[in-house]
């Protein structure tokens, strides 16, 4: 028995000692750059406006080796990445990418939304309290003041005691402002019409830096008022539909929506320099300006990590005009591939290969044109919002004997007038239930949720969870409705977005550069995971409202 216990003690001793040796070995291989904090000189966050995931695969064989293909082969490609909320619009998309949270937290519930306290529609970044810089137009009266949380770029600024810079660039004001956050050194957006200049607001400074003035004076914008024809023979663009069809909008002044387009000739009837936005040249111009910003602001040139947030807005304008199956979209992405290659080449030269980290994603996808889907027998259609509002008002009037209980219907939400409800001694819960029941009988409406349901329940999956994640208790309406798949409230030409269906939620996500390993995954990830992943990489605090998770699989260990 004595020898038995001695043997048992020896066995237990070595059993316990083995893990300790393993831990010691693990600690001995600790690498600060990999296990604690990476120190890229520059983080570049690229958002492509209205990029479906399948644009990577559909046009893959038309891409060169140094653009999208380089990102995928040398970086980490998340192939099942989705938005986890509704509505999938530009402003919520950009805000969610950089805050790591959904609209229920960051408060950007649309591009525009009805403000029940001001009793009017508001724009996501409009700010009457600031002045335009670089123009006299109100297009410069913008700031991030409606964004309720910090961004990852804000947290980097705070972490580095404001030594790390942040510059936001995007053709759309909301695409430049929201990603850059509250503490940015600057955000710049494009003002077209009869000016064709990059502008900002007094939220950031009182006068444009000299490098921006020089860029505006150099004639870059004017150089893009030129013919837009396809990069290659249009007849070889077999990955998209026919060039001449009835599903595209086109430009005023040209009878058909088919190549080529003489932009200088057409500009007079299409808001002057704004026509550039609706062509791939808008991406070219955006990248020209972003590269000038890297030089002008000396980004990535010291020991403190800087941020460049870069939004390519033109694919959204083009998708809305011509549709996701158009040859115009194909040509846009073939050209954007060259822009990505140019960006990577310039980053290698200016910051140094291996000295920067980049991610590329989108702010939403886009639906196939329902009018086209109808021709191939896919269930789809159009929803007439104005008719719906009239029908709803009639129902409310007949049921509750009042014409003023509804203040607004927008973004798939019904907003009540609480004062009128109180005056008429009507139960808000009863009004919600009656409207919800009515809407569920309405043609083309698929699902309905009331404020009572969303505030008292927690939905874990499906469209209900997406509605829940997009519902801000203070800013959202009282009844939310969803349309049938591939049913939109839009014109019969061009594509749009905003739903929780896969064509709107499935977006590319590729991490690339310092601290990122090569690989790919089909594991479901969400857009709110991007900011905490970058935060974990840099060893900085997560954005203060972040609800996403760091994507451990993409990080070097």
């Amino acid at each position: 028995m004595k020898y038995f216990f001695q043997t048992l003690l020896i066995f237990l001793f070595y059993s316990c000692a083995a893990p300790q040796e393993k831990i010691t070995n693990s600690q001995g291989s600790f690498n600060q750059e990999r296990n604690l904090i990476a120190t890229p000189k520059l983080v570049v966050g690229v958002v492509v406006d209205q990029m479906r995931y399948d644009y990577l695969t559909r046009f893959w064989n038309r891409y060169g080796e140094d653009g999208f293909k380089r990102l995928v082969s040398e970086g980490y490609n998340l192939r099942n990445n989705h938005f986890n909320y509704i509505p999938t619009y530009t402003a919520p998309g950009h805000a969610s990418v950089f805050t790591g949270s959904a609209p229920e937290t960051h408060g950007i519930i649309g591009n525009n939304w009805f403000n029940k306290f001001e009793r009017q529609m508001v724009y996501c970044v409009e700010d009457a309290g600031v002045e335009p810089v670089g123009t006299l137009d109100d297009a410069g009266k913008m700031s991030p003041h409606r964004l309720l949380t910090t961004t990852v770029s804000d947290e980097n600024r705070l972490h580095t005691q404001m030594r790390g810079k942040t510059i936001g660039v995007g053709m759309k004001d909301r695409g430049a402002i929201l990603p850059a956050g509250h503490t940015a050194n600057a955000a710049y957006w494009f003002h077209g019409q009869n000016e064709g200049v990059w502008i900002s607001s007094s939220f950031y400074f009182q006068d444009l830096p000299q490098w921006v003035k020089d860029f505006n004076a150099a004639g870059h914008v004017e150089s893009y008022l030129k013919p837009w024809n396809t990069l290659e023979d249009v007849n070889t663009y077999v990955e998209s539909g026919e060039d001449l069809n009835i599903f595209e909008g086109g430009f005023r002044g040209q009878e058909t929506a088919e190549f080529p387009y003489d932009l200088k000739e057409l500009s007079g009837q299409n808001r002057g320099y704004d026509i550039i936005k609706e062509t791939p040249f808008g991406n070219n111009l955006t990248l020209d300006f972003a590269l000038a910003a890297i030089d002008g602001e000396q980004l990535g040139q010291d020991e403190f990590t800087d941020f460049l947030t870069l939004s390519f807005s033109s694919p959204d304008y083009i998708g809305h005009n011509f549709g996701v199956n158009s040859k115009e979209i194909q040509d846009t992405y073939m050209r954007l591939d060259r822009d990505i290659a140019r960006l990577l080449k310039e980053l290698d030269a200016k910051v140094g290969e291996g000295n920067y980290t980049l991610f590329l994603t989108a702010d939403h996808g886009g639906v196939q044109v329902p009018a086209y889907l109808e021709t191939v027998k896919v269930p789809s259609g159009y929803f007439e919002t104005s008719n719906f509002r009239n029908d709803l008002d009639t129902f409310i009037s007949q049921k509750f004997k009042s014409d003023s209980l509804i203040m607004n219907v927008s973004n798939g939400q019904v907003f009540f007038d609480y004062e009128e409800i109180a005056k008429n001694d009507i139960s808000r819960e009863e009004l919600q239930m009656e409207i919800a029941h009515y809407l569920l009988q309405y043609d083309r409406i698929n699902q309905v949720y009331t404020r009572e349901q969303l505030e008292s329940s927690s939905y874990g999956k499906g469209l209900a969870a997406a509605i829940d994640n997009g519902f801000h208790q203070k800013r959202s309406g009282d009844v939310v409705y969803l349309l049938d798949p591939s049913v939109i409230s839009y014109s019969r030409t061009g594509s749009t977005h905003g739903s929780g269906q896969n064509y709107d939620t499935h977006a590319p996500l590729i991490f690339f550069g310092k601290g990122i390993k090569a690989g790919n995954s089909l594991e479901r990830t969400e857009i709110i995971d991007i900011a905490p992943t970058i935060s974990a990489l840099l060893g900085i605090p997560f954005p203060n409202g972040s609800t996403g998770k760091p994507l451990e699989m993409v990080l070097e260990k």
Side-chain angles (χ1 to χ4, degrees), residues 82 86 89 106 197 300 311 342 362 485 513 518 535 541 557:
H82 291 264
I86 299 171
Y89 294 144
H106 61 60
V197 291
S311 177
R342 181 160 65 109
S535 292
K557 298 178 182 178

Side-chain angles (χ1 to χ4, degrees), residues 56-76:
L56 270 182
T57 56
R58 191 168 125 206
F59 307 134
W60 182 259
N61 292 331
R62 311 307 293 263
Y63 294 146
E65 297 300 319
D66 300 324
F68 288 121
K69 286 186 176 180
R70 181 182 172 193
L71 291 181
V72 169
S73 63
E74 297 180 24
Y76 203 98

Side-chain angles (χ1 to χ4, degrees), residues 254-430:
Q254 181 161 322
E255 186 175 344
T256 59
E258 59 180 330
F259 287 105
Y261 303 98
D262 188 331
L263 303 188
K264 192 169 186 65
E265 182 179 314
L266 294 170
S267 62
Q269 298 182 60
N270 293 273
R271 304 176 309 282
Y273 291 109
D274 276 342
I275 195 173
I276 296 173
K277 297 177 181 179
E278 296 186 53
T279 75
F281 304 141
N283 292 334
N284 299 155
L285 178 60
T286 300
L287 181 55
D288 292 343
F289 187 81
L291 295 177
I294 292 174
D295 290 336
E297 299 291 343
Q298 291 292 290
L299 298 180
Q301 300 305 310
D302 60 28
E303 68 271 30
F304 300 105
T305 300
D306 297 325
F307 263 78
L308 172 66
T309 69
L310 177 55
S311 177
F312 287 109
S313 306
S314 289
D316 186 65
Y317 290 110
I318 297 164
H320 279 292
N321 191 349
F322 297 96
V324 304
N325 198 44
S326 64
K327 294 197 186 304
E328 286 79 2
I329 275 290
Q330 177 165 349
D331 194 65
T332 295
Y333 277 89
M334 289 169 62
R335 291 175 181 270
L336 179 60
D337 178 60
R338 295 187 175 191
D339 283 325
I340 298 300
R342 181 160 65 109
L343 172 61
L344 296 178
K345 181 179 179 181
E346 290 295 315
L347 289 172
D348 287 345
K350 296 176 186 295
V351 183
E353 187 172 359
N355 287 332
Y356 62 90
T357 303
L358 179 148
F359 66 83
L360 182 144
T361 189
D363 57 348
H364 53 71
V367 66
Q368 289 271 7
V369 179
Y372 164 69
L373 292 179
E374 289 172 345
T375 67
V376 293
K377 302 180 182 179
V378 173
S380 55
Y382 295 88
F383 184 79
E384 298 297 337
T385 302
S386 58
N387 294 342
F388 164 68
R389 176 64 194 270
N390 291 334
D391 293 341
L392 177 60
D393 286 343
T394 299
F395 167 75
I396 295 295
S397 179
Q398 293 175 349
K399 182 73 177 179
F400 293 94
K401 312 304 179 188
S402 175
D403 297 322
S404 53
L405 300 180
I406 305 299
M407 279 201 296
N408 179 267
V409 177
S410 57
N411 292 333
Q413 300 180 53
V414 180
F415 291 81
F416 294 174
D417 188 325
Y418 292 168
E419 293 180 5
E420 289 297 321
I421 290 174
K423 286 180 183 178
N424 287 273
D425 195 25
I426 295 172
S427 163
R428 281 182 291 175
E429 289 75 16
E430 180 187 1

Side-chain angles (χ1 to χ4, degrees), residues 174-232:
R174 55 190 182 270
I177 292 170
L178 295 172
H182 304 276
T183 63
N185 299 84
Y188 300 100
W189 53 98
F190 183 69
H191 176 52
Q193 298 179 20
N194 63 339
E195 294 189 64
V197 291
W198 289 88
I199 65 173
S200 191
S201 83
S202 62
F203 179 84
Y204 305 99
F205 39 55
Q206 298 301 313
D207 193 19
L208 291 177
Q210 189 59 47
W211 71 264
V212 180
K213 295 178 180 179
D214 292 343
F215 186 94
N216 283 336
H220 296 278
V221 177
E222 190 71 33
S223 71
Y224 288 119
L225 283 181
K226 61 183 182 179
W228 175 22
N229 208 341
T230 51
L231 269 176
E232 301 173 15

Side-chain angles (χ1 to χ4, degrees), residues 493-504:
T493 58
S495 297
T496 192
H497 49 86
S499 80
Q501 306 295 341
N502 284 327
Y503 49 75
D504 282 338

